[in-house]
Amino acid sequence: MSAVQNVGVVGAGAAGLATAILLAEAGADVVVYETKPTLGALGSGITLQGNALRALDRLGVWDQVRARSFSFDVLGIRAPGPEAPLVAEMPDNKMGGPDYPATAGMFRPDLAEIMLARAQALGANVRFGARVTAVTHADDGVTLTISTDAGGEQVTHELVVGADGLNSAVREQIGITTRPEPNGMGIFRAFVKRPPEADHTELVFGGPSYIAGFCPTGEDTMYAYLVEDKQDRQGMTPEEGSKIMAELARPYGAHWNAVRAQLEQGVEHVHYTWFTSHVVAEPWNRGRVVVIGDAAHSCPPTVAQGAAQALEDAVVLGDVLGRYDALSDELWAEFHARRVPRATTVVEASNQIAAWLLARERGDVQGVHRTVSDLVSQEP
Ligand SMILES: Cc1cc2nc3c(=O)[nH]c(=O)nc-3n(C[C@H](O)[C@H](O)[C@H](O)COP(=O)(O)OP(=O)(O)OC[C@H]3O[C@@H](n4cnc5c(N)ncnc54)[C@H](O)[C@@H]3O)c2cc1C
C-alpha cells in the first residue's frame, strides 16, 4: 500500500470490512474497531445488485457469496388484493456486467461472516467490543480513543476510515454536521421460509402498505418486507412484530399467503426500522480521517443500493490509496470525484421514488431505476 501503511477502520459493517480486506490485501497493517461484542449483523436479508456482486468479487468473496445466496435475473410486479394479479415480469438489468447475475438475495449474517473471515485471513485485526469515542489529529497521524470492557486506550494510525454507520461518531468527531433524517417511512422485515415458486423478487406497490415485497435468499429462505408510515415500534418483540406484520399482510395474496401463515405462527427474525436519507456534501475527509458507507450517505432502500454504494466507497478508497504515494489533495480530489456524485445520484433517486410513494403518485419509477442502473453499471 503506497499512501499509508497503518490504518484504523471504525466499524465492521459492509463498508468497514470491505476496506479492511482491500487494505490488508495491499499489505497495510489494518485494525478494525467494532463496538459490538460479536459480528451479529441484523438477522434479515439483503438484496445485492450486480454492482455489489462485482465489488464483492473484487474483495475475493464472490464464490462464497454465490454459494450462500440466491441469484435471479427477473423482477415481478403484482397488484394488491387476494388474487394478486401479476402486472409485469421483466428482466432485471445486470448492473455488474454479464459475469454476474442481476441480483442475489442473501441472509445478512452470512455476508458479514464471509467478509469477516476474508479480512482476518488477510491479516486484518478485527477487535470486537472496542468503541471509538474520540478522534484527534496528531502531527503525523490520527489518535483514536477506544473504550473496551478492560478500560480505555489510545491508538494512533496514519489514516482513519470512519465506516461506523448512520450515527457515526467519527463523522461527528471531525465536525461534519450532516445527519441522516427520517423520511417518514418505516419497514418491517421478516426472515421466512421460501415457497419454491417464489424464485425472484416480487413487489406490490399500493394497498395499505406502500410496498409489499420479498427477496429469495437461499434454497428455502427469503425475506419479506412491508413499508408503512413510520411508527414508534421501539421495544417490539418478534412475537408482537409477527402479529402486526401478519395483520398488515392480510390484503396481499399470492406468495404472501404463505408468508402470512408463517407470521401468524410467529417468526424469529422480525425487524422494524425507519428509512433515513442524507449525503455529506464533499469533502468526506478532514485531514487523515474519512467517512464512507452509511456514515457518509444513506437512502430509503427503494433501489436497493445502500450496501452496494458502501462497497463501492471501499473499492475506490482502496484503489486511490494504492495508486498515490501519499495522502495528497490529488488523492482526495479523485476519491471525491468518483464517489460523491455517484452516491448523491443514488440517494436522490431513492428519495424521489420514496416521495412518489408517500404522495401516492405514480411517477416515472422505471425511468429513475434506469438512471441508477445506467450509472452503477459503469465501474466506480
Ligand atoms: C430497511 C433497510 C433495507 C436495506 N436494504 C438494502 C438492500 O437490500 N441492498 C443494499 O445494497 N442496501 C440495503 N440497505 C442499506 C444497507 O443496509 C447499508 O447501506 C449498509 O449496511 C451500510 O453499511 P455500513 O458498513 O456503512 O454501516 P453499518 O452496517 O451500519 O456498519 C457500521 C458498524 O459500525 C459499528 N459502530 C458504530 N459506531 C461505532 C463506534 N463508535 N466504534 C466502533 N464501532 C462502531 C456498528 O456497530 C456497525 O457494526 C438497506 C437499509 C435499510 C435501512
Side-chain angles (χ1 to χ4, degrees):
M1 173 113 306
S2 308
V4 284
Q5 292 302 324
N6 180 307
V7 182
V9 176
V10 188
L17 289 176
T19 305
I21 289 168
L22 292 164
L23 302 193
E25 186 184 49
D29 290 331
V30 180
V31 185
V32 181
Y33 303 95
E34 168 55 54
T35 188
K36 286 187 269 185
T38 60
L39 200 51
L42 199 68
S44 183
I46 187 162
T47 301
L48 297 165
Q49 309 280 11
N51 62 318
L53 304 178
R54 179 177 61 200
L56 290 165
D57 199 6
R58 172 66 195 85
L59 303 180
V61 296
W62 167 228
D63 285 345
Q64 292 162 72
V65 166
R66 179 168 36 198
R68 290 172 73 179
S69 61
F70 192 94
S71 300
F72 49 92
D73 295 322
V74 66
L75 171 72
I77 308 282
R78 284 185 189 271
E83 301 306 320
L86 193 63
V87 176
E89 206 163 68
M90 41 214 174
D92 225 351
N93 283 352
K94 293 193 166 195
M95 298 180 212
D99 296 342
Y100 309 99
T103 311
M106 196 167 186
F107 188 45
R108 276 182 187 252
D110 286 350
L111 177 62
E113 191 183 303
I114 290 169
M115 291 180 70
L116 174 67
R118 173 81 176 149
Q120 289 175 327
L122 289 165
N125 174 9
V126 185
R127 292 185 53 185
F128 289 101
R131 185 163 65 94
V132 170
T133 57
V135 182
T136 42
H137 270 93
D139 284 346
D140 51 355
V142 185
T143 301
L144 295 178
T145 305
I146 317 287
S147 162
T148 66
D149 279 351
E153 62 183 284
Q154 293 201 317
V155 195
T156 299
H157 295 282
E158 285 175 71
L159 170 71
V160 164
V161 180
D164 50 344
L166 289 177
N167 300 309
S168 170
V170 175
R171 185 181 63 218
E172 192 179 313
Q173 285 284 312
I174 61 174
I176 295 175
T177 53
T178 311
R179 290 186 54 76
E181 298 292 342
N183 89 324
M185 291 165 145
I187 184 170
F188 276 98
R189 282 173 293 172
F191 194 66
V192 293
K193 288 200 186 70
R194 180 173 72 82
E197 326 77 67
D199 58 3
H200 56 269
T201 284
E202 282 190 359
L203 301 171
V204 183
F205 293 101
S209 296
Y210 292 108
I211 310 173
F214 63 81
C215 172
T217 52
E219 273 319 304
D220 55 5
T221 60
M222 67 181 202
Y223 72 104
Y225 45 95
L226 289 166
V227 180
E228 62 165 12
D229 288 317
K230 74 176 166 65
Q231 317 271 333
D232 182 358
R233 299 199 186 275
Q234 278 181 49
M236 184 185 74
T237 63
E239 294 75 35
E240 290 162 347
S242 298
K243 255 194 205 141
I244 302 169
M245 206 175 159
E247 201 50 45
L248 288 172
R250 204 158 294 287
Y252 300 101
H255 304 308
W256 275 93
N257 294 329
V259 175
R260 196 172 45 252
Q262 294 178 60
L263 288 166
E264 279 164 357
Q265 297 300 310
V267 166
E268 185 189 350
H269 296 295
V270 177
H271 301 280
Y272 186 78
T273 188
W274 289 358
F275 289 172
T276 64
S277 174
H278 79 297
V279 56
V280 173
E282 191 180 342
W284 291 357
N285 79 303
R286 296 292 185 274
R288 293 172 171 273
V289 184
V290 63
V291 289
I292 63 167
D294 275 10
H297 47 80
S298 69
C299 49
T302 45
V303 296
Q305 272 291 323
Q309 292 307 300
L311 293 170
E312 287 188 356
D313 289 346
V315 167
V316 174
L317 185 62
D319 179 49
V320 293
L321 289 172
R323 283 192 298 101
Y324 286 79
D325 291 337
L327 290 178
S328 59
D329 290 348
E330 290 74 23
L331 180 153
W332 291 122
E334 178 177 337
F335 175 71
H336 290 120
R338 287 169 64 184
R339 290 313 305 153
V340 182
R342 184 158 162 136
T344 303
T345 299
V346 168
V347 170
E348 286 172 353
S350 308
N351 287 344
Q352 177 61 78
I353 293 174
W356 280 326
L357 289 168
L358 279 164
R360 305 261 176 207
E361 256 178 52
R362 214 169 160 75
D364 182 15
V365 175
Q366 272 190 328
V368 171
H369 272 286
R370 217 168 18 249
T371 302
V372 171
S373 169
D374 289 350
L375 177 68
V376 305
S377 294
Q378 298 158 35
E379 292 275 355

